[in-house]
């Protein structure tokens, strides 16, 4: 591979060999492998598109390298490249990059970035009024859509159980439009945060009213004024297929449902989250 730019901008490296190890993160390593690549240190994730990469940079994530379609070097990626002066930029034409990665790049830019250490749940919940708790949601598209709604509609933070899909998987980041970098989040982990038992207890100790989103006969209507009036509220959403576990519903203070019409029995969890966050989210936001 040879340099195609020798200015004071970052190294611009033309791809002539797919097998160089620097391209492994884009071509040969799976996302679970990227997550564990530096163990016992923190792993890597891939951010896609200039806007998403910019939001990750604004949140303090460290860029390691970029993969950029050649026509975007002086176009859509120009400002990102200029901002990351010490970051190597690998480049080729669109068809070459598609063969390398196995998919079409969104707006022609990928960036490999180092993960941050995750805070614990108590730290994430500090100074919050409204949080979302996601139980065993495994579809990255749903995770990304929920994060986008949470950030836009007044949730202050997101907690995830360990079985949830990673919010920093490429597809989740892309669907969220980078809002995974704008709203605090972490996994519930360890004995002190075990879900639902100790985890729900922790939320109660922090002063949260916990509400399970579920279609139960005695559930509160989501428009019930007592929900909006709660000082601190945790909205708990369950897995795509079965919804919340019975033990989780029993551990929460109340069960809440979204009224349905035309015989429809439920919404997709991402759609339900948007309705719930709009109705119950922190209205004192800008």
């Amino acid at each position: 591979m040879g340099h195609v730019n020798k200015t004071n901008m970052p190294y611009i490296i033309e791809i002539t060999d797919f097998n160089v190890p620097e391209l492994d993160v884009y071509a040969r390593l799976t996302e679970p492998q990227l997550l564990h690549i530096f163990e016992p240190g923190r792993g890597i994730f891939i951010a896609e598109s200039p806007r998403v990469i910019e939001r990750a940079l604004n949140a303090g994530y460290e860029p390691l390298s970029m993969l950029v379609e050649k026509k975007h070097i002086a176009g859509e990626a120009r400002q990102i490249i200029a901002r990351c002066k010490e970051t190597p930029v690998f480049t080729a034409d669109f068809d070459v990059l598609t063969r390398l990665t196995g998919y079409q790049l969104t707006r022609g830019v990928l960036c490999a970035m180092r993960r941050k250490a995750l805070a614990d749940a108590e730290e994430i919940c500090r100074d919050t009024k409204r949080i979302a708790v996601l139980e065993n949601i495994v579809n990255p598209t749903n995770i990304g859509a929920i994060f986008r709604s949470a950030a836009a509609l007044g949730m202050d933070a997101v907690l995830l159980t360990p079985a949830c899909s990673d919010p920093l998987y490429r597809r989740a980041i892309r669907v969220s439009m980078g809002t995974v970098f704008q709203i605090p989040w972490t996994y519930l982990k360890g004995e002190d945060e075990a879900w639902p038992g100790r985890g729900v207890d922790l939320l109660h100790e922090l002063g949260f009213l916990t509400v399970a989103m579920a279609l139960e006969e005695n559930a509160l209507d989501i428009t019930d004024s007592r929900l909006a009036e709660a000082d601190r509220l945790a909205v708990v959403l369950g897995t795509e297929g079965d919804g919340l576990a019975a033990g989780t519903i029993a551990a929460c203070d109340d069960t809440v449902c979204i009224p349905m019409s035309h015989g429809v029995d439920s919404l997709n969890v991402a759609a339900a989250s948007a309705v719930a966050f709009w109705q119950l989210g922190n209205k004192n936001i800008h």
Side-chain angles (χ1 to χ4, degrees):
M1 295 190 298
H3 297 300
V4 296
N5 186 313
K6 296 184 179 180
T7 69
N8 60 357
M9 292 180 67
Y11 286 126
I12 309 296
I13 306 168
E14 182 99 27
I15 296 172
T16 59
D17 181 0
F18 280 6
N19 295 314
V20 295
E22 293 86 350
L23 296 177
D24 285 351
V25 295
Y26 303 108
R28 285 171 287 280
L29 297 180
T30 65
E31 291 190 289
Q33 288 173 323
L34 292 175
L35 174 62
H36 299 289
I37 193 170
F38 292 142
E39 285 187 337
R42 299 186 294 277
I44 292 173
F45 66 90
I46 304 296
E48 183 177 7
S49 87
R51 177 179 292 182
V52 168
I53 295 167
E54 182 178 28
R55 287 177 173 171
L57 293 171
N58 290 344
Y61 287 89
E62 175 191 354
L64 301 175
S65 69
M66 280 186 272
L67 189 67
V68 180
E69 186 182 347
K70 192 177 295 183
K71 73 176 185 179
H72 291 310
I73 293 288
E76 293 195 39
R78 178 176 57 85
Q79 291 183 338
I80 295 294
I81 292 172
R83 184 171 173 179
C84 303
K85 297 184 183 299
E86 304 299 324
T87 304
V89 178
F90 299 95
T91 189
D93 290 328
F94 177 82
D95 290 344
V96 174
L97 297 185
T98 300
R99 293 202 305 274
L100 173 70
T101 63
Y103 55 86
Q104 297 182 357
L105 275 64
T106 300
R107 307 187 79 82
V109 187
L110 297 178
C111 185
M113 310 190 87
R114 192 182 298 272
R115 290 172 178 264
K116 293 181 180 182
L118 291 176
D120 61 29
E122 186 169 357
E123 181 179 348
I124 287 292
C125 292
R126 187 179 299 139
D127 301 322
T128 61
K129 294 292 187 181
R130 296 291 186 269
I131 65 169
V133 182
L134 311 186
E135 180 183 88
N136 303 344
I137 297 176
V138 298
N139 186 313
T141 298
N142 283 336
I143 290 287
I146 292 169
F147 265 81
R148 190 171 184 181
S149 293
L153 301 174
M155 305 309 287
D156 301 316
V158 179
L159 302 179
L160 304 97
T161 63
C164 282
S165 181
D166 189 344
L168 295 186
Y169 278 173
R170 183 183 65 88
R171 185 168 181 81
I173 295 172
R174 181 164 64 83
V175 172
S176 83
M177 287 300 295
T179 55
V180 293
F181 307 120
Q182 296 177 295
I183 184 169
W185 63 271
T186 196
Y187 281 97
L188 292 157
K189 55 189 183 298
E191 291 183 4
D192 289 342
E193 298 174 0
W195 187 262
R198 180 60 192 140
V200 173
D201 289 344
L202 174 63
L203 295 178
H204 288 155
E205 290 166 10
L206 294 173
F208 284 94
L209 177 71
T210 55
V211 295
M213 298 296 301
L215 295 171
E216 297 284 307
E217 184 177 348
N218 297 320
L220 295 176
D221 189 298
I222 197 171
T223 61
D224 192 298
S225 62
R226 290 170 292 181
L227 300 173
E229 292 167 359
D231 181 52
R232 306 187 86 184
L233 186 69
V235 180
V236 186
L237 295 141
T239 186
E240 292 88 349
D242 298 327
L244 289 171
T248 300
I249 295 172
C252 288
D253 297 306
D254 286 303
T255 305
V256 174
C257 70
I258 300 168
M260 301 285 167
S261 62
H262 296 291
V264 176
D265 60 356
S266 66
L267 294 173
N268 166 273
V269 66
S273 75
V275 175
F277 300 160
W278 167 252
Q279 180 65 34
L280 302 175
N282 185 358
K283 300 300 190 288
N284 296 317
I285 56 173
H286 301 282

